[in-house]
Amino acid sequence: MKLSVRCAGLTALTALLAAACAPQTSSNSSSDKDEKTGTLRVWLFQEVGNAPKEKVVDSVVDGFEKTHKGTKVEVEYIPVDTRAQRVKAAFNDPGSAPDVMEYGNTDTAGYVKDGGLLDVTKDFGDWSEAKDTDPTAKQSVTVDGRLYGAPFYVGVRALYYRTDVFEELGLSVPRTMDELASTARKIRAAKPELYGLVVGGAYTYGAMPFVWANGGELASGKGGSYASGIDSPQARKGIKAYTSLFGDDNCPAAKCAGMGGNDTVSAFAAGKAGMAIGGDFSHTAVEAGKVKGDYAVVPLPGVKSGSIAPAFAGGNNIGVLKSTSHRTLAVRLMEQLASKKTQSELFDAMGFLPTFTDVRTQAAAKEPFVKPFVRTLAAGTKFVPASPAWAQIDSSLVLPTMFQEVISGKKDVTKASEDAAKKMNDAFGSAG
């Protein structure tokens, strides 16, 4: 059985208050039950254009229920932007918690610290397919040498652009970030009904390549000790480059400051933008939009001509909650949702890049659209600090607030980045 939930996104202030007021999580919610029948609850993320994902998942659920008599699986699709509040509440109240859930790989360390995820190290080791998992993807479910889930897909972002618009205006594909900005403004000037490059003030992982390409870092350190780097001269140069794109000559601040990643992809898919920064996982939504047949994808250019801007090594995992009363069934369902067969089908349905090296190779050979994303992966990617503090930094919207303060003119880059760095360091310090 499938349940679908659609919720309006929280404003930045509401999200901040919700995160600040969320109750402390408990690490004492482990269940000693292992029931072999009953209902398993699953939380998965709601995507832009979710129907193809639902179809694949429904097939997995149907097969699981047939091979596990007396078992029912209920799937609920939750908004990504409000996941922090939902998951914290689930960790505190096992009665309302799912047995299995999809979670962002940036959330792993924080969820483990909160005591919400089940240690599946032995199960993963016994799983025959696990040997083909990409080592980087495996690392995304690993904390202190223990595994807390199975990699679900890997995601990186690249530059989507309108081939018809570029041809009409005689534009070349940008090879540097400066060319990207100037090309965006040319599109906007010639076609004021379009955003040149649609950007979002709440689109952290669309903004970070600008910081990384200019030599900036989110933070430095390792283990339990990190210090923010978002206020370095290099990072500030990247912040300035990104926030300069918010204006009437490209993407008006009044419309674009509050946009997140899904908003920018939706705008591009609807034919409202000449370019967008989107993921391999955005492919299905774009294909389903008005621009089908009139777009192409290339790696996002870096500062130097021909270089590729470092992309965030994103992706999601599937984990079992420690509070489950169906441990064996939940682990089996986790493995089936993250299996080679399912990942291959999700690639076909959604464009999600598989985490198994052999399945990814097959996917790249089958579909040309994968190539710019594989090139981006090969050029070198970046990840967030492996600290439980990142979940707090992310859910408190520290970086989107910084970008939006600059975009609105409330603060300059120096002040906004100083304040963001202080918030990040406070979070790192409290995480230990």
Side-chain angles (χ1 to χ4, degrees), residues 24-44:
Q24 293 297 307
T25 54
S26 168
S27 60
N28 299 314
S29 56
S30 181
S31 172
D32 57 0
K33 297 180 180 179
D34 190 11
E35 299 168 2
K36 299 303 191 292
T37 59
T39 300
L40 291 175
R41 297 181 63 216
V42 180
W43 285 359
L44 299 177

Side-chain angles (χ1 to χ4, degrees), residues 65-275:
E65 290 179 342
K66 287 177 182 177
T67 55
H68 297 84
K69 300 300 182 183
T71 299
K72 291 292 182 183
V73 178
E74 294 181 351
V75 181
E76 181 178 345
Y77 293 89
I78 67 173
V80 177
D81 294 342
T82 56
R83 71 189 186 281
Q85 293 75 42
R86 291 290 301 272
V87 173
K88 276 185 176 289
F91 287 174
N92 277 328
D93 181 14
S96 68
D99 299 273
V100 178
M101 73 175 185
E102 178 179 0
Y103 66 91
N105 60 10
T106 61
D107 296 323
T108 306
Y111 290 171
V112 170
K113 183 190 178 187
D114 287 343
L117 293 176
L118 184 70
D119 182 338
V120 294
T121 306
K122 184 179 185 304
D123 308 274
F124 194 90
D126 292 341
W127 184 24
S128 61
E129 295 187 347
K131 69 182 187 308
D132 295 321
T133 302
D134 181 325
T136 303
K138 183 177 178 181
Q139 191 61 36
S140 77
V141 294
T142 304
V143 177
D144 294 332
R146 309 298 295 175
L147 279 77
Y148 294 88
F152 191 36
Y153 69 85
V154 62
V156 290
R157 292 167 176 82
L159 181 67
Y160 285 72
Y161 70 96
R162 289 276 298 275
T163 51
D164 55 338
V165 172
F166 272 61
E167 182 177 352
E168 179 185 344
L169 301 181
L171 300 173
S172 299
V173 177
R175 291 176 56 81
T176 68
M177 281 193 163
D178 284 345
E179 288 182 10
L180 178 68
S182 63
T183 301
R185 293 185 173 98
K186 288 176 184 176
I187 294 170
R188 177 74 172 176
K191 293 182 171 292
E193 73 277 11
L194 298 181
Y195 304 121
L197 169 65
V198 60
V199 286
Y203 190 8
T204 299
Y205 298 117
M208 289 315 299
F210 291 78
V211 173
W212 289 322
N214 281 281
E217 296 289 350
L218 281 171
S220 59
K222 61 181 179 180
S225 179
Y226 279 92
S228 175
I230 203 66
D231 57 345
S232 72
Q234 297 90 341
R236 286 172 176 166
K237 189 173 182 181
I239 295 167
K240 184 177 181 181
Y242 186 70
T243 54
S244 69
L245 294 166
F246 293 80
D248 292 342
D249 61 350
N250 176 52
C251 201
K255 293 185 177 180
C256 303
M259 286 188 181
N262 284 354
D263 299 318
T264 64
V265 170
S266 295
F268 182 82
K272 298 178 181 178
M275 296 181 288

Side-chain angles (χ1 to χ4, degrees), residues 42-62:
V42 180
W43 285 359
L44 299 177
F45 289 156
Q46 178 87 28
E47 312 289 345
V48 177
N50 203 56
K53 180 179 181 178
E54 292 181 28
K55 185 175 180 181
V56 173
V57 172
D58 287 349
S59 176
V60 175
V61 168
D62 289 345

Side-chain angles (χ1 to χ4, degrees), residues 201-204 257 393-394 396-405 407:
Y203 190 8
T204 299
I393 292 167
D394 191 31
S396 297
L397 306 177
V398 172
L399 295 179
T401 298
M402 175 189 70
F403 291 124
Q404 290 164 348
E405 287 171 342
I407 293 163

